[in-house]
Amino acid sequence: MSQQTINYEGIEKKSVAEFTEKAYLDYAMYVILDRALPHIGDGLKPVQRRIIYAMSELGLKASSKHKKSARTVGDVLGKFHPHGDSACYEAMVLMAQNFSFRYTLVDGQGNWGSMDDPKSFAAMRYTEARLSKFSQLLLEEANQGTVDWTPNFDGSLNEPLVLPARVPHVLLNGTSGIAVGMATDIPPHNLREVINGCIALLTDPKLTTEALMEIIPAPDYPNSAQIITSKEELFKLYETGHGSIRQRAHYFVEDGVNVVIDALPYQVSGTKLLEQVAAQMRAKKLPMVVDLRDESDHENPVRFVVELRSKRIDVEAAMLHLFATTDLEKSYRANFNVIGLNGRPQVKNLVGMLTEWLSYRTETVRRRLQFRLDKVLARLHILDGMLIAFLNIDEVIAIIREEEKPKAALMARFGLSDTQAESVLELKLRQLARLEEMRIRTEQAELENERKKLERVLGSAARLKTLVKKELQADADTYGDDRRSPIVEARAAQAMSEQELLPSEAVTVVLSENGWVRAAKGHDIDGASLGYKSGDAFCSQASGQSRQMTVFIDDTGRSYALSAHSLPSARSHGEPLTGRLNPPAGANFTQVLMGQPTDKLLLASSAGFGFITQLQNLYSKNKAGKAAISLPKGSRVLTPAPVTTGQWIMVVTSEPRMLVFSVDELPELTKGKGNKLIHMPKGEQVNAVFAFMPGEKVTLVAGKYEKVFGPTSIEDAFESRAKKGMVLPRTLKKVTSISVSK
């Protein structure tokens, strides 16, 4: 029971909670039904409907002259919509912008905003407007008994509850609005496609969403940007009534390095797009782009030119990055929430929405025909009375001249109705001519034929359906156009990684014995000739590209990775790796490697074990690195040797001995100890491993001593893996490096 009382003055009292709840619910229902959501019948919100109707009442048809927008807004506010003038004018502007509405309802003259800035329109005192030709599809039947009327806010005038739309406008221009606890976002569609879908539904009311999508495949925005939403997502949208649509800018390549964007997604600002790209360029996150220019003009409303650094740039990859990081690709929420014929808001799927609109349209046509039939019957009734009067014209004249109450006398003498007698009394003398009887009989015959046709259609549901089909098709032929937004299957937009965005430059990474690292530009760098801190010296170097990862290996067999571009310049002594990495206590960095992630190399220990692995297997995001090669006690990591298919492996020990075998005999692993490379007596170690192509000359260097082995000598040392190999001269007991030549 509500707590309320009425005092002696008749004032009702309620609790604050009850009053607040009712007031909020009343407000919520007002916003939902009378402000934010469109009606399924005409697809308009109340303010839009009132603007259209007020303009028609002002006589602002498509064939009339334009009138000041302030005049229209004044009429709308003064007669139907007592709200803010700026909000009303903005709603009017939106209906006039051909880049906002797929089929504009207002024909504007003056500055009505631009695609770049839709809200840059001039004040209403400067612009002029009239209704567009398309708006007649909403108004043409308004005065033919097709709509219900309601008093305006002050009861001085009547306004239509819903306009009698001849086409499903709710889908054609779409709309968006935020109510209380609900919202609507209906994308625009193509008139021909939607009407063809309606005709198909009239033919087969049991049509499925899947079948209907063969006719209405996707929304159609007022631009030529591409719709890249998948068929599965579109089906979900049309089946459930809510989902999302994704649009992507259209581009083509000009002169090899210029990417020309000639269509932007719906409601995307070109100025904002320029700012987004410029911000990335300032942050050096677009190395592939040299410049972005806006070359839009009257002939090319949208023309943005992205100038690439060179013809070697992958255009598709560059554009996919821009799609992912700017408004060149945009997603739009879709929610088919409308006020139905029952006056309640509801989210409807495509089939449900069109089916309900068709029932509205069928009822509108039936009311129009019935209205016309009533007019025809009323006119025939009057013509019957007039014919009786003409056949007895002398007696009628005598009654009018002699009787005090001629109307009653005529009704009594000839059996006329009140309406018929009134029409006879209102005849003019010129209508008493002999030809008038022929005109009456001709009009009677024409109206009689029309009556029969109207009754035939009204009496048959099939004929009524056929008439609706014909009228829909006629409107499609008159107002329809081709699809503007192409539907394409496209790769998903993907932003490039930080590595890919960097300029690719040749670099040489130099590692010192104390674990200091630096990167020098170019590949012609001799690390041994660089200056080092006191007590430090050259250890290892590797050449590659600035985009690549640099791998470091310590003397415990762990590997680490850092981006080459992040390493300090070689202009100084560099930085200690321990500042960026966390190796085990007492561990020292001994090797540095660079190359493509899929490059293969031989990873071996001085204990005589090794395996083939890809460089990317040594990458680690962890500062503590990862275990790369297991080292038997007392052994160390040898300098890794790059390998390719078909090469031979040379293993040189401290005895010294040399064994050559095919690379195919070693397994490819991600990590581990590896297989035995050469058979060695206890205490012996492997000094070096190397890979080369059969037929090449190999030079072994031990201090100042060098020895060249030709193809014949190498073949003498060729055996299977894990054999003893061939004895070398004692001068090669401490081999420090191996080189190859042809």
Side-chain angles (χ1 to χ4, degrees), residues 482-623:
D482 295 332
R483 166 173 281 276
R484 293 187 191 174
S485 303
I487 307 166
V488 299
E489 292 184 9
R491 284 174 57 190
Q494 186 175 9
M496 292 182 181
S497 65
E498 188 178 357
Q499 298 289 106
E500 293 172 316
L501 287 172
L502 293 168
S504 183
E505 298 175 337
V507 294
T508 299
V509 178
V510 180
L511 177 68
S512 75
E513 290 180 352
N514 289 343
W516 284 61
V517 67
R518 48 186 151 171
K521 289 185 179 181
H523 287 168
D524 54 346
I525 306 297
D526 180 9
S529 65
L530 297 177
Y532 294 88
K533 284 181 175 288
S534 178
D536 200 2
F538 171 75
C539 176
S540 176
Q541 73 177 54
S543 297
Q545 299 296 316
S546 56
R547 285 185 182 178
Q548 294 174 340
M549 298 295 288
T550 306
V551 174
F552 301 94
I553 301 177
D554 66 17
D555 53 11
T556 68
R558 297 184 72 80
S559 65
Y560 311 79
L562 292 173
S563 300
H565 77 274
S566 68
L567 299 177
S569 170
R571 293 175 183 173
S572 63
H573 291 125
E575 295 176 5
L577 279 174
T578 50
R580 300 192 185 193
L581 305 173
N582 297 326
N588 295 310
F589 295 100
T590 59
Q591 307 292 337
V592 59
L593 304 170
M594 290 186 74
Q596 295 297 328
T598 55
D599 286 353
K600 293 182 180 181
L601 48 88
L602 168 58
L603 208 57
S605 67
S606 60
F609 294 90
F611 58 91
I612 307 297
T613 191
Q614 291 188 8
L615 185 61
Q616 62 189 356
N617 293 331
L618 304 181
Y619 293 169
S620 173
K621 294 181 179 179
N622 195 341
K623 287 186 175 183

Side-chain angles (χ1 to χ4, degrees), residues 30 34 45-55 76 80-83 159:
Y30 167 75
D34 291 322
K45 299 178 187 179
V47 64
Q48 295 172 326
R49 186 179 303 118
R50 287 163 176 166
I51 290 169
I52 297 297
Y53 179 67
M55 291 181 75
V76 174
F80 308 112
H81 196 73
H83 295 275
E159 62 176 314

Side-chain angles (χ1 to χ4, degrees), residues 718-733:
F718 188 85
E719 290 187 78
S720 300
R721 178 182 58 81
K723 297 295 184 181
K724 281 188 175 183
M726 180 180 75
V727 178
L728 294 176
R730 300 296 293 176
T731 50
L732 294 175
K733 189 173 179 64

Side-chain angles (χ1 to χ4, degrees), residues 602 604-605 638-641 649-652 677 686-691 738:
L602 168 58
S605 67
L638 299 177
T639 302
I649 302 295
M650 176 181 286
V651 183
V652 181
L677 302 177
V686 174
N687 284 343
V689 291
F690 194 72
I738 304 174

